[in-house]
Amino acid sequence: MKTIVFLSLTLFSITLFATNLQYSITQLPTAPLSVGSTTINDINDSGQIVGSFKIEGEESHAFVSSELNGTRVMTDLGAISGDGGARAFGINNLGQVVGESSTEASTAANRSHAFIANKTDKGWVMSDLTPDAFWSSASNINDRSEIVGKIRQIRDNRSRQVFVGTKNEKNWDITDLEITSQFLSTHFSIDNNSRIIGSLIGRRGILDTSFIALKEDDDDAEDAEDAEDAEDAEDAEDDDADADWNVYSLDEFSSESLIFFGVNNVNQMVGYNQSSDGSGSAFVATLKNDNWTLTNLGTFEEKSTQASDINDAGLIVGRVTRRKHPLRSDAILFSEGEIYDLKSLVTTGLEGWSRLNNAVGINNSGQIIGSGIYNEKYTSFILTPINQEPVD
């Protein structure tokens, strides 16, 4: 794995500011399903939201939430086979959904598989991306229908790999990025430039590794011309055929652990810098003139910040957590070097909301999804901007 090094670390202090940004808030889900706990994971530019819900006594259900005639409607995506459980993690602007689902053969020896779900004239159709694997899960999908996820090929090998799925004429090609670890959790994101960022988290929440994967241009002809003889040219062509993606380590950017969460389509990625004492500070990394610059978005006294997602306008969402009370957090918005308490920006529909705990996603229309406390119950929300122009 190659290494990328940032040019600089920019620090500045941040406080809470007044702003003209305003939002309306809607609780999720609202219709048509009566559900228990709900987890939301992603939103596309049309405002479609994916996640999972759980009814007591049942397995998790993957869902997509869309607005229909001014009303939010939740649709159960079903499972790959039978009445098993499923969870949805990502959705692109084509409306394709990815996640993980139990299969007909789901047992202790053959667990959930990564899926892609497409809406057809007959409803949603879910397909198994890795039918021969022991276990797999799809985390995110871009508008090129490129999928990033994780896979465990056989039961007897506890190691997991990071994969990229690309569509061929009849099925899906699964490419191993050759990043192997016994990680317990992950954060993956992929942009429309075929740039993947990821962090693999091991036991006790300790970072194993962070990486960026870039799709390689087709330079077969140049490699062949530069080769000294026919044998070298043949080797170069074979190497390029097997190496469509280059993987670079992001572990050398800081003396602390950098955990990456989100990436936009204009060369920016966000996450947080985890210190040895468990605290952290949000950051944004920006690519300009082939060099990356890491900017610390700031911290509060006795509080940690985390950046979860960024849109193409550079608006960043996340949360701030009190170090002495790690279970208590507030959703925040970073914009142009300033930080805002999201709850203070809600001007419509706030009645019943005592806290907005976390913001996990933002689209190019400026809509924000997250979780909070509504009528003393933990639930999910979508914030819709009142006075913002969508990103072109």
Side-chain angles (χ1 to χ4, degrees), residues 142 144 146 190-196 213-215 245:
N142 65 10
R144 296 181 176 184
E146 295 168 332
I190 182 170
D191 67 13
N192 292 332
N193 302 308
S194 302
R195 179 185 292 115
I196 299 170
L214 307 174
K215 196 169 186 179
W245 297 82

Side-chain angles (χ1 to χ4, degrees), residues 244-266:
D244 292 332
W245 297 82
N246 281 331
V247 179
Y248 300 86
S249 172
L250 298 177
D251 295 333
E252 305 299 327
F253 291 167
S254 169
S255 60
E256 309 293 350
S257 299
L258 296 185
I259 299 178
F260 292 79
F261 277 85
V263 61
N264 63 14
N265 299 305
V266 290

Side-chain angles (χ1 to χ4, degrees), residues 9-302:
L9 180 67
T10 305
L11 297 172
F12 53 90
S13 60
I14 298 177
T15 56
L16 290 177
F17 289 87
T19 178
N20 292 325
L21 297 172
Q22 295 180 12
Y23 295 89
S24 63
I25 187 169
T26 302
Q27 181 193 9
L28 297 172
T30 56
L33 301 174
S34 176
V35 303
S37 60
T38 305
T39 301
I40 55 175
N41 295 310
D42 198 15
I43 182 171
N44 66 12
D45 290 345
S46 299
Q48 291 179 297
I49 300 167
V50 294
S52 60
F53 68 87
K54 191 171 180 62
I55 300 174
E56 186 175 355
E58 297 185 10
E59 295 188 69
S60 295
H61 297 248
F63 75 83
V64 58
S65 172
S66 306
E67 189 167 314
L68 181 64
N69 298 325
T71 302
R72 276 271 156 193
V73 177
M74 174 186 281
T75 302
D76 189 340
L77 295 176
I80 291 175
S81 180
D83 298 325
R87 296 187 294 171
F89 298 125
I91 183 170
N92 64 11
N93 288 322
L94 305 177
Q96 297 174 302
V97 180
V98 295
E100 64 182 39
S101 168
S102 58
T103 67
E104 187 174 7
S106 289
T107 64
N110 185 15
R111 303 188 180 185
S112 297
H113 281 187
F115 75 76
I116 181 169
N118 292 279
K119 189 175 183 180
T120 69
D121 293 338
K122 297 181 180 180
W124 287 89
V125 176
M126 186 179 289
S127 303
D128 191 340
L129 290 171
T130 60
D132 298 325
F134 168 68
W135 169 88
S136 62
S137 178
S139 302
N140 205 243
I141 182 171
N142 65 10
D143 292 346
R144 296 181 176 184
S145 299
E146 295 168 332
I147 300 168
V148 59
K150 46 198 175 183
I151 188 170
R152 182 177 168 187
Q153 293 286 3
I154 58 177
R155 181 182 182 183
D156 294 338
N157 187 344
R158 293 183 177 274
S159 295
R160 304 176 181 184
Q161 294 80 40
V162 181
F163 77 83
V164 178
T166 53
K167 191 74 169 69
N168 59 34
E169 292 183 0
K170 296 183 179 180
N171 213 323
W172 289 86
D173 292 324
I174 302 299
T175 301
D176 184 355
L177 291 183
E178 300 183 0
I179 306 170
T180 300
S181 168
Q182 294 187 18
F183 53 83
L184 299 181
S185 62
T186 59
H187 304 291
F188 293 139
S189 188
I190 182 170
D191 67 13
N192 292 332
N193 302 308
S194 302
R195 179 185 292 115
I196 299 170
I197 63 166
S199 293
L200 311 181
I201 313 299
R203 297 186 182 278
R204 299 179 180 177
I206 298 175
L207 176 68
D208 187 348
T209 187
S210 291
F211 70 90
I212 183 170
L214 307 174
K215 196 169 186 179
E216 187 178 59
D217 292 333
D218 187 4
D219 294 327
D220 292 349
E222 291 184 19
D223 291 341
E225 291 176 1
D226 293 340
E228 293 182 358
D229 53 43
E231 183 177 353
D232 288 343
E234 184 178 351
D235 290 342
E237 291 178 0
D238 290 341
D239 289 344
D240 283 343
D242 294 333
D244 292 332
W245 297 82
N246 281 331
V247 179
Y248 300 86
S249 172
L250 298 177
D251 295 333
E252 305 299 327
F253 291 167
S254 169
S255 60
E256 309 293 350
S257 299
L258 296 185
I259 299 178
F260 292 79
F261 277 85
V263 61
N264 63 14
N265 299 305
V266 290
N267 301 323
Q268 293 176 301
M269 49 190 182
V270 296
Y272 75 99
N273 190 340
Q274 187 181 56
S275 301
S276 57
D277 63 359
S279 63
S281 58
F283 69 80
V284 57
T286 304
L287 177 64
K288 188 175 182 179
N289 298 326
D290 295 326
N291 293 305
W292 287 96
T293 299
L294 185 70
T295 301
N296 191 316
L297 295 174
T299 58
F300 297 102
E301 184 179 354
E302 299 300 323

